[in-house]
Amino acid sequence: MSDFSKYFLMTTEDVPKYVQSKLTYFSEDAKLSCTEIGDGNINYVFRVQDENGKSIIVKQAGLETRIKPDLGVSTDRGRIESEILSIQNSYAEGLVPKIYLYDGTMCAMIMQDMIGHTMMRTGLLNHEVYPLFADHVTTFMANCLLRTSDIVMDHKEKKKLVGNFINPDLCGITEDLVYTEPYTDCFNRNHVFPPNAEFMKKELYDDETLRLEAAKLKFEFMNNAQALIHGDLHTGSVFINKEHTYFFDPEFAFYGPMGYDIGNVIANLFFAWTNGDAEIEDKDEKQRFCSWCIDSICDTIDLFIKKYNAIYDEYVTDTMAKTKGFKEWYLSGILSDTAGCAGIESIRRIVGMANVKDITTISDENKRARAEKIVVSLAKDYIMHRESFKCGDDYRRAINIAVKKYPL
Ligand code: SR1
Ligand code: MG
């Protein structure tokens, strides 16, 4: 039996032994069972459980990604993830899972099982609503983002973190998959829904003005070391129930623009809307779910602004950042990035390599084609007019326009 002193990719047989060798979480004679529960694109996630239902999660980084075995990524991502979770827990206590152990040799972490919570994308696909989500996600983002920025953090401490969270492989994935391939298909691996092939060619590959704005946003992503961002804050990175929310899976973390995280949330809430709009038959039920999606988009923007202002006033340390007018100027940059990144995330999930179930599970071909067109049209509005998205109602208006453009 391995003593886990040399890296190998574990199976469900190995993982219980691994947990017992590393922690005293379960009793020595516990009868442990293990299942692989990961449905992400990159890692292996195991749940280990004893006969009384007590459980724990083990997440192991493979040497290659699950979605594309020829796409290797550094196993250092596990270190990055465990370190950022501990930082995020200090700024947004209770909103991230607890890490019990990070093991650099096995590239594995053992963490709290988020029992009683469902992966948010799965819940949304069942058309569940989460009334407190906008409140929770804005508490998480406003605290974790602003308090790791130069507005609040000591400049030397911040620069040390910038170095610690240099994440070239995972950032490289985002730079390609999110910011380049959707406009160029330069690696010939985009997934374009065949009925929309012509539409996507005209609206994305052939649109030079869009490509220029996407290029500007790409360089903003690569060069604006503004805050310690989660880096992949979609609804598959959230475990949720009606009362509580966990944000997890921050392996794409690095110092980047705050708007990348906020924009990801906005885009993914709208994917949920497209699914509800296409799949729910009952009129009242559709209205209930779809209005909640749009309200949550608007509330996420408005509550972020409110919390940003409060946290800024309470925690600002930088002398020049206290200058009258600076807080508002800095916020307008974040909001413009937010709209731009919401557009970028929207487009890449439609034509890029990593799609979302909200769209791909729409069963009726015409409805799926329409949903994709609405998303792309809205995304282009976000990107091309990003400076004009300043509050929740600006998103509501843009969504209404995009939806009306493609009637049923
Ligand atoms: C190769 S990884 C594809 C996508 O999955 C992750 O969750 C990120 O969103 C990434 O872009
Ligand atoms: Mg992930």
Side-chain angles (χ1 to χ4, degrees):
M1 186 185 103
S2 165
D3 62 357
F4 307 103
S5 59
K6 194 163 168 263
Y7 177 85
F8 71 98
L9 198 56
M10 292 187 282
T11 64
T12 48
E13 297 241 309
D14 305 308
V15 175
K17 295 172 198 149
Y18 177 71
V19 171
Q20 292 297 59
S21 78
K22 295 288 173 187
L23 297 181
T24 54
Y25 186 78
F26 295 108
S27 65
E28 265 177 48
D29 56 354
K31 287 193 179 51
L32 298 180
S33 60
C34 177
T35 39
E36 211 276 311
I37 57 166
D39 80 337
N41 294 323
I42 307 188
N43 302 295
Y44 297 85
V45 183
F46 302 90
R47 172 176 283 129
V48 180
Q49 201 163 24
D50 73 8
E51 61 275 38
N52 303 315
K54 188 177 177 185
S55 59
I56 207 165
I57 297 293
V58 176
K59 179 171 173 183
Q60 189 181 28
L63 300 174
E64 51 196 27
T65 57
R66 296 179 82 163
I67 187 176
K68 222 174 180 324
D70 58 352
L71 191 63
V73 280
S74 158
T75 45
D76 186 44
R77 63 189 187 269
R79 174 194 65 80
I80 289 192
E81 177 167 350
S82 64
E83 287 184 16
I84 191 186
L85 282 171
S86 127
I87 294 172
Q88 288 170 336
N89 193 49
S90 70
Y91 295 130
E93 205 186 337
L95 292 179
V96 297
K98 287 192 189 73
I99 299 293
Y100 300 124
L101 173 107
Y102 174 64
D103 170 2
T105 305
M106 290 298 289
C107 305
M109 75 187 82
I110 309 184
M111 62 198 268
Q112 178 189 355
D113 191 358
M114 294 168 273
I115 296 167
H117 296 67
T118 309
M119 183 185 285
M120 188 173 180
R121 196 181 306 282
T122 309
L124 294 173
L125 283 169
N126 290 324
H127 308 125
E128 288 288 338
V129 299
Y130 300 100
L132 299 178
F133 174 71
D135 185 26
H136 293 165
V137 76
T138 51
T139 296
F140 174 73
M141 294 191 298
N143 279 288
C144 294
L145 297 175
L146 209 51
R147 292 171 71 182
T148 56
S149 75
D150 282 307
I151 301 296
V152 175
M153 193 171 261
D154 169 75
H155 69 107
K156 283 192 181 164
E157 199 189 328
K158 184 241 175 180
K159 288 181 179 72
K160 206 168 139 205
L161 284 185
V162 172
N164 206 29
F165 286 96
I166 296 282
N167 196 351
D169 283 8
L170 283 284
C171 285
I173 290 180
T174 304
E175 286 152 26
D176 289 342
L177 257 63
V178 181
Y179 282 98
T180 304
E181 293 170 65
Y183 307 92
T184 60
D185 199 15
C186 55
F187 300 137
N188 221 2
R189 57 184 187 180
N190 280 355
H191 296 160
V192 177
F193 186 48
N196 277 343
E198 242 179 71
F199 176 92
M200 297 304 167
K201 180 177 176 310
K202 175 171 174 285
E203 295 295 330
L204 302 177
Y205 302 152
D206 293 348
D207 188 338
E208 285 291 326
T209 53
L210 175 71
R211 185 167 165 161
L212 174 60
E213 296 313 310
K216 291 179 193 169
L217 286 162
K218 178 179 178 181
F219 277 70
E220 168 79 5
F221 176 83
M222 293 165 83
N223 293 292
N224 183 2
Q226 188 175 40
L228 183 54
I229 70 171
H230 177 289
D232 199 23
L233 200 47
H234 57 83
T235 49
S237 298
V238 178
F239 262 66
I240 193 162
N241 60 34
K242 302 273 184 207
E243 290 87 36
H244 184 263
T245 311
Y246 282 117
F247 301 94
F248 78 118
D249 215 13
E251 64 202 327
F252 282 77
F254 79 114
Y255 258 84
M258 299 188 195
Y260 189 76
D261 278 355
I262 314 166
N264 259 262
V265 172
I266 299 301
N268 280 273
L269 284 171
F270 192 67
F271 297 144
W273 180 94
T274 63
N275 187 280
D277 183 61
E279 294 286 279
I280 303 175
E281 279 175 14
D282 181 80
K283 204 169 148 245
D284 293 341
E285 177 59 12
K286 188 192 291 239
Q287 165 73 12
R288 178 193 68 91
F289 180 74
C290 289
S291 322
W292 173 83
C293 294
I294 309 282
D295 289 347
S296 298
I297 290 172
C298 301
D299 291 350
T300 297
I301 297 295
D302 293 336
L303 287 173
F304 178 83
I305 295 171
K306 191 172 162 207
K307 291 175 193 183
Y308 165 94
N309 282 318
I311 293 166
Y312 199 109
D313 292 344
E314 185 175 353
Y315 291 103
V316 60
T317 57
D318 184 89
T319 306
M320 293 303 280
K322 292 177 189 166
T323 306
K324 196 169 177 303
F326 186 83
K327 179 174 74 174
E328 292 73 17
W329 173 83
Y330 196 76
L331 175 64
S332 67
I334 297 170
L335 293 176
S336 146
D337 285 349
T338 296
C341 293
I344 292 280
E345 167 72 1
S346 301
I347 289 173
R348 76 92 164 210
R349 294 294 191 183
I350 297 295
V351 298
M353 186 173 85
N355 312 108
V356 285
K357 281 191 184 152
D358 317 50
I359 302 278
T360 58
T361 61
I362 296 176
S363 42
D364 180 286
E365 196 172 275
N366 292 329
K367 286 185 179 173
R368 175 170 168 187
R370 173 177 178 259
E372 292 193 355
K373 286 177 179 166
I374 293 172
V375 170
V376 167
S377 166
L378 178 61
K380 289 181 71 167
D381 191 6
Y382 288 161
I383 292 172
M384 299 307 293
H385 308 114
R386 56 191 180 279
E387 311 251 311
S388 63
F389 286 85
K390 294 185 183 307
C391 66
D393 269 344
D394 293 332
Y395 284 82
R396 194 184 296 279
R397 258 190 301 277
I399 290 168
N400 284 335
I401 291 169
V403 173
K404 282 202 189 110
K405 214 167 147 183
Y406 298 99
L408 278 169

